[in-house]
Amino acid sequence: MPRRSPNRAVLGIVGVVGFLLLWEAVPRIGLIPARFLPPASEVLAALGERLVLPEFWTAVGDTVLTWGIGLGIAFAAASLLGFAVGSVPVLRAFTHSTVEFLRPIPSVALIPLAILLYGTDMASTLLLVVYAAFWQIYIQVLYGVSDIDPVAEQTARSYGLGRLSRLRYIAWPSALPYVLTGLRLGAAVALILTITGQLIIGTPGLGQQISVAKNSDATELVYALIIATGALGVAVNVGVRALERRALRWHASVRGEEIA
């Protein structure tokens, strides 16, 4: 009789509990001073106190709003530009060197420019988010457009399908797995830059609250807010993965996951 593998959720819970126990023990036995690493119980208590405060949820809302707007702008721009450029080989070759120059520029290097243009307004953080997420999605869209089956493309042309029809029935379904991969990567990067912008620039959100707690020497609260940002990141990843599976339920890779 084959042995049943342990449930992933159970293993995950065991891993989290083990990590918390280790975290609790390290400052208790003095390996790291508690002023630098408070025990997990104190951090979780601080997080629990924060969860009942309206300003905490306001900060969460500001973070999610900035993330969502930035990711939405980046996704729309990258998708439209990616399909337009990727569909014309000459245009893709012409813009290749420019893309390779701009893409490696770290978004945090734009912080002085963002402050100069928008001050501490949400728009300054949006500039960082859009710039970082755009390249994650744009490159994947280019890969998706280049992966379109040329036989399917020629067949569609021979049957008289116009450019828009070929885009809808050939290009979009073929590129969709790449587009959604770019969206998943862009969503994670967008959240990172949202927190970074709030932390450094001071725009409203969880990052700003972390900065205030740090300046107030509230070490337990700093760790508690970091845990909150981590939980938000997990929620974003789970949500985007669910969207990806739903949109690609017809795709062989998703059907293979369901069978496994």
Side-chain angles (χ1 to χ4, degrees):
M1 184 175 180
R3 295 176 59 185
R4 295 181 60 184
S5 59
N7 187 282
R8 288 185 179 181
V10 174
L11 291 177
I13 293 173
V14 171
V16 170
V17 172
F19 173 74
L20 291 175
L21 291 175
L22 179 62
W23 180 1
E24 182 74 20
V26 167
R28 295 291 186 189
I29 63 179
L31 290 178
I32 298 178
R35 68 178 184 274
F36 298 130
L37 180 66
S41 56
E42 296 180 9
V43 172
L44 293 177
L47 179 60
E49 294 173 359
R50 206 70 182 175
L51 290 176
V52 300
L53 298 178
E55 54 263 31
F56 171 79
W57 294 107
T58 300
V60 172
D62 290 335
T63 299
V64 172
L65 179 63
T66 305
W67 167 81
I69 293 175
L71 181 62
I73 294 173
F75 180 77
S79 298
L80 291 174
L81 194 61
F83 274 100
V85 173
S87 300
V88 183
V90 174
L91 186 57
R92 179 171 181 176
F94 181 74
T95 58
H96 176 75
S97 57
T98 303
V99 169
E100 291 304 311
F101 171 75
L102 294 174
R103 186 165 64 95
I105 297 177
S107 294
V108 292
L110 301 178
I111 289 178
L113 175 62
I115 296 175
L116 180 64
L117 292 175
Y118 303 111
T120 58
D121 190 73
M122 185 178 72
S124 58
T125 300
L126 280 176
L127 176 63
L128 308 180
V129 173
V130 171
Y131 187 85
F134 173 85
W135 298 114
Q136 299 290 330
I137 302 169
Y138 179 74
I139 297 300
Q140 290 296 322
V141 173
L142 290 182
Y143 288 152
V145 173
S146 65
D147 198 45
I148 295 173
D149 187 356
V151 175
E153 178 76 13
Q154 291 299 323
T155 302
R157 288 178 183 271
S158 66
Y159 276 95
L161 269 68
R163 179 176 291 273
L164 289 179
S165 295
R166 295 198 306 273
L167 176 64
R168 178 181 179 184
Y169 296 111
I170 303 297
W172 178 249
S174 299
L176 187 57
Y178 294 90
V179 173
L180 291 177
T181 297
L183 178 62
R184 175 159 47 85
L185 297 173
V189 170
L191 183 61
I192 293 171
L193 268 298
T194 298
I195 301 297
T196 301
Q198 293 170 351
L199 185 64
I200 299 176
I201 299 174
T203 52
L206 288 173
Q208 184 192 51
Q209 289 204 349
I210 292 174
S211 179
V212 171
K214 171 185 170 294
N215 294 332
S216 303
D217 289 329
T219 310
E220 295 87 354
L221 183 56
V222 170
Y223 280 94
L225 292 172
I226 291 173
I227 290 175
T229 61
L232 185 58
V234 171
V236 165
N237 186 63
V238 170
V240 176
R241 288 287 294 179
L243 173 63
E244 187 177 14
R245 286 193 296 269
R246 182 174 180 82
L248 295 177
R249 58 186 180 274
W250 51 270
H251 197 266
S253 61
V254 174
R255 293 203 305 269
E257 286 182 6
E258 293 176 351
I259 294 174

